[in-house]
Amino acid sequence: MADAELVIGLVSVSDRASGGVYQDAGLPALAKWLASAITTPFRIVERLIPDERGQIEQVLIDLVDFELCHLVLTTGGTGPARRDVTPEATLAIGTKEMPGFGEQMRQVSLHFVPTAILSRQTAVIRETPTHAALVMNLPGQPKAIKETLEGLKDADGKQIVGGVFAAVPYCVDLIGGPYIETNAAVCKAFRPKSALRPTTQTT
């Protein structure tokens, strides 16, 4: 699968946006950031759904098992409110939990707002006999999506806190997905030297 087409699923979880009360901002923000950060050709599959656990679970399963996404990013539904059930749905469909992604997202967000400790983002690997994908929960606000993916830099561009996406390409490598290259000016992917390809970006 290392040279297969990279397929990324994007899921926005929002009762009001899915009901047409207002326009969804999560999907466009995710697509825009990915276009700036990933240099490998990729295809996006989008879903806009309400905060219903059963529906979230089914969409995540469909994106991995039938759309064959290698990476699925969700936005919304990760707070403490009664209707926020995205993490529960994500954990239910996963075969391996990857809690480090959520831990790092909260570390990034705490540099901006103290309420970051209320977010419950997590990530899992979903495996089938022939396919695997990384499924990761992101915040609901476009600004927070960018911050958690990209990390925090000082005025000179030096990384203060690492964003979570730096670890995504190597994670996808390890589960048998395509080799993902990134724009280092936005987010430099980290891989051990033994996992680097000769053509990978080094700047």
Side-chain angles (χ1 to χ4, degrees):
M1 286 179 58
D3 295 312
E5 177 188 35
L6 174 61
V7 185
I8 301 177
L10 303 181
V11 183
S12 183
V13 181
S14 170
D15 284 333
R16 289 180 291 174
S18 63
V21 176
Y22 60 73
Q23 189 170 2
D24 173 66
L27 293 174
L30 275 171
K32 180 180 179 181
W33 190 87
L34 290 170
S36 72
I38 298 177
T39 58
T40 302
F42 64 93
R43 175 169 59 88
I44 286 177
V45 183
E46 294 185 351
R47 298 287 187 270
L48 174 58
I49 56 175
D51 291 274
E52 297 288 350
R53 177 171 169 175
Q55 193 166 345
I56 299 168
E57 289 181 20
Q58 190 56 57
V59 164
L60 295 179
I61 291 169
D62 287 346
L63 287 173
V64 177
D65 296 11
F66 299 103
E67 295 289 349
L68 299 181
C69 293
H70 304 98
L71 172 66
V72 178
L73 303 176
T74 76
T75 174
T78 60
R82 286 181 182 269
R83 297 286 293 171
D84 292 332
V85 292
T86 303
E88 284 74 21
T90 301
L91 291 168
I93 63 92
T95 50
K96 289 188 178 80
E97 188 177 357
M98 303 292 287
F101 285 101
E103 292 165 5
Q104 186 63 15
M105 279 188 259
R106 285 181 283 277
Q107 283 296 315
V108 173
S109 295
L110 277 168
H111 282 78
F112 299 95
V113 290
T115 51
I117 59 174
L118 302 179
S119 24
R120 301 184 301 116
Q121 288 100 335
T122 191
V124 300
I125 303 296
R126 176 171 174 82
E127 298 164 310
T128 73
T130 58
H131 187 72
L134 172 63
V135 181
M136 183 164 58
N137 302 151
L138 297 172
Q141 296 300 316
K143 180 175 181 289
I145 289 171
K146 182 177 185 295
E147 290 166 353
T148 52
L149 288 171
E150 198 169 315
L152 177 63
K153 298 176 183 177
D154 63 18
D156 297 322
K158 183 180 178 182
Q159 198 86 38
I160 299 173
V161 183
V164 296
F165 201 83
V168 167
Y170 186 49
C171 182
V172 173
D173 290 350
L174 293 173
I175 60 175
Y179 192 87
I180 301 173
E181 304 232 35
T182 63
N183 176 358
V186 177
C187 178
K188 184 181 174 79
F190 176 82
R191 286 179 171 95
K193 289 182 179 180
S194 61
L196 290 172
R197 287 188 178 180
T199 55
T200 194
Q201 295 178 1
T202 56
T203 59

